[in-house]
Amino acid sequence: MSAEPTSTTPVRRPDRAAPARLRDAWPALAGLSAVFLFEMLDNAVLTVALPTIGRELHTSTVGLQWVTGAYSVVFGATMLLFGAVADRFGRRRVMLAGLTLLAAASLATAAVQSPAELIAVRAATGLAAAMTTPGSMALAFRLFAREDLRIRALTVISTAGLVGFAVGPTAGGFALAVVPWQALLLVNVPVALLALVGVRVGIAADRPDDLLPHPIDVAGAVLGTATLVGALLTPTAFVDGGTTPGLVALAGTALAVAAFVRRERTTARPLLDLALLTRPLVASGLAYKAAAGLAVSGLLYLTTLQLQSARGWTPAAAAIGMLPMVAVLLVGGRFVGPFVQRVGTGTAAWTSAVAVVLGLAVGALGGRAGYGWTVAALVLVGAGMRVVGAVAGTEVLQGLPSDRTSVGAALVDTASEVATGVGTAVVGTVLAAVVPGSIVPGTWTPRRLAALQDGLTLAGLLLTAVAAVLVGCGLARAHRGRVAA
């Protein structure tokens, strides 16, 4: 699929002489794959350890929510800023700095002794992710000149991440039987070192003529960050603080949104040109990524709590229970390219997003009825994830000018991570409102167990409805784009 049909779209150039084969760029692909491996492995491994962390650190339901939510909030809230920084100061340079921070933050996990310390470490890890992840997609996209190689490169990179995402919970569940939970996050240290070597060796230094010359919209960055943080904190404020704090958070978020939109529409050099979001490829791709991120995060959180808290499975048994998704993610890679070539990137994007949302719906409605429904949900989500991760991001980047690739990649990851944060916040908020006491494994009375099951179903259905609306918006925008073209 070509870029947006406009005469102002610049011709894309690779960062160096374009490799003719994937193997010609293997050091760069290895480093970029390690970056994406970290992004997908990190929270996936942590999810299976949440009940253990809650028990050992004596964490409340809301606190346990923010063990994962702190990463997503900081990641999603600062990604646009660092995408803009990378477009101006160098994608490779910013990525190397972020990988250094990642290694340091991961090492700090070994010293964690309280929920507050762990949340702080997770926030620092989210900051490192915001510095590295947008650049991985942008650099991979610019590394090759041919569209088929770009899709194959993004498929290779996403494969590494999805393998980590799939194997991580299973390996983590078994590891918890013999090592402390802190060891699961220390895995990020060698991953960061591998990425540092691959990016430094395999990717050329940033060229001045590929960077934006004008300064960063600092005011827009501050307002955008405030908007995203407010959107993710407001649900928790209502449940944890009550009506007054919730309304204050809601009003503050609304003011931040209004101020951000006004700033970006009136300043000469906005952080985010809002007109870019109206492009059909950009709007539809972002909608599909957001829907998939919402559904995936929701299903994983729901399944972990369903298996361990509601059914009393051990972490190792719950890890085995995730194997259907592992199998689909590992085997499905070879079918992505042929499927996309057969149906086209547009059709592949929306059908895979629908599969992920349908999987969440199956998990929400059937999870309490038996493990067979959980298997069906995991298979659907795994199959959809395998495709949407590559094609939706490719659509967004194809729809943007070549000097906005880092911001474009940041938009893709912002949509996914904010959706992930929203998914975690919704599940945690609903459970905190519905289930009395902590949700970590322990002694469950029939009444509390019934409340937990009701809360999991309600949270899953809420997320399914929102994700379905996002997919519908993406389809509508893509259709209007085809009509206009």
Side-chain angles (χ1 to χ4, degrees), residues 15-16 19 24-32 92 96 139 143 194-205:
D15 284 336
R16 57 166 66 175
D24 296 335
W26 73 264
L29 289 178
L32 297 175
R92 179 176 178 269
L96 292 175
L139 289 172
L143 192 61
L194 173 62
L196 270 168
V197 173
V199 170
R200 190 171 185 84
V201 172
I203 296 178

Side-chain angles (χ1 to χ4, degrees), residues 335-483:
F335 302 107
V336 174
F339 176 67
V340 174
Q341 290 179 356
R342 183 179 182 85
V343 304
T345 55
T347 300
W350 76 260
T351 53
S352 58
V354 167
V356 175
V357 176
L358 183 59
L360 174 60
V362 171
L365 291 172
R368 66 194 301 172
Y371 177 65
W373 290 94
T374 301
V375 171
L378 293 172
V379 168
L380 282 169
V381 169
M385 281 180 60
R386 205 62 184 83
V387 180
V388 74
V391 295
T394 301
E395 279 204 328
V396 172
L397 293 183
Q398 285 178 331
L400 292 171
S402 61
D403 60 355
R404 300 297 178 91
T405 52
S406 290
V407 167
L411 279 172
V412 173
D413 285 308
T414 297
S416 181
E417 280 304 316
V418 169
T420 297
V422 169
T424 302
V426 167
V427 175
T429 300
V430 169
L431 293 180
V434 173
V435 183
S438 176
I439 59 173
V440 299
T443 303
W444 287 85
T445 64
R447 180 180 177 183
R448 290 187 68 242
L449 184 59
L452 175 64
Q453 295 282 20
D454 291 341
L456 293 174
T457 301
L458 176 60
L461 291 178
L462 286 174
L463 293 180
T464 299
V466 176
V469 170
L470 287 170
V471 173
C473 291
L475 278 169
R477 194 68 189 92
H479 176 72
R480 285 197 293 269
R482 287 193 297 269
V483 172

Side-chain angles (χ1 to χ4, degrees), residues 170-194:
T170 303
F174 284 112
L176 284 175
V178 294
V179 299
W181 62 265
Q182 290 91 336
L184 302 185
L185 297 181
L186 289 174
V187 173
N188 285 335
V189 177
V191 173
L193 294 177
L194 173 62

Side-chain angles (χ1 to χ4, degrees), residues 285-380:
L286 291 177
Y288 298 146
K289 283 290 289 185
L294 192 71
V296 170
S297 65
L299 181 66
L300 287 180
Y301 203 169
L302 293 173
T303 301
T304 295
L305 296 178
Q306 181 71 251
L307 296 181
Q308 294 191 48
S309 293
R311 298 181 185 171
W313 291 22
T314 65
I320 295 175
M322 296 285 190
L323 286 178
M325 179 183 285
V326 175
V328 172
L329 290 174
L330 294 179
V331 175
R334 67 182 62 187
F335 302 107
V336 174
F339 176 67
V340 174
Q341 290 179 356
R342 183 179 182 85
V343 304
T345 55
T347 300
W350 76 260
T351 53
S352 58
V354 167
V356 175
V357 176
L358 183 59
L360 174 60
V362 171
L365 291 172
R368 66 194 301 172
Y371 177 65
W373 290 94
T374 301
V375 171
L378 293 172
V379 168
L380 282 169

Side-chain angles (χ1 to χ4, degrees), residues 17-22 24 144 146 149 152:
R21 301 172 300 176
L22 289 185
D24 296 335
F144 299 96
R146 288 165 35 195
L149 287 179
R152 288 174 60 193

Side-chain angles (χ1 to χ4, degrees), residues 186-247:
L186 289 174
V187 173
N188 285 335
V189 177
V191 173
L193 294 177
L194 173 62
L196 270 168
V197 173
V199 170
R200 190 171 185 84
V201 172
I203 296 178
D206 302 292
R207 298 187 310 199
D209 58 335
D210 277 336
L211 304 179
L212 289 174
H214 50 78
I216 296 175
D217 176 21
V218 177
V222 172
L223 291 171
T225 300
T227 297
L228 294 169
V229 170
L232 293 170
L233 289 178
T234 298
T236 301
F238 271 107
V239 172
D240 199 36
T243 302
T244 300
L247 290 176

Side-chain angles (χ1 to χ4, degrees), residues 42-43 45-74 102 104-127 176 180-188 301 440:
D42 188 71
N43 257 350
V45 170
L46 189 65
T47 298
V48 76
L50 287 178
T52 302
I53 293 172
R55 182 173 58 251
E56 293 189 4
L57 296 184
H58 307 289
T59 309
S60 66
T61 299
V62 173
L64 199 62
Q65 167 194 332
W66 285 109
V67 167
T68 57
Y71 171 88
S72 296
V73 168
V74 175
L102 169 61
S106 300
L107 279 174
T109 305
V112 165
Q113 295 182 347
S114 70
E117 292 175 355
L118 180 57
I119 291 171
V121 168
R122 299 301 299 154
T125 307
L127 189 65
L176 284 175
W181 62 265
Q182 290 91 336
L184 302 185
L185 297 181
L186 289 174
V187 173
N188 285 335
Y301 203 169
V440 299

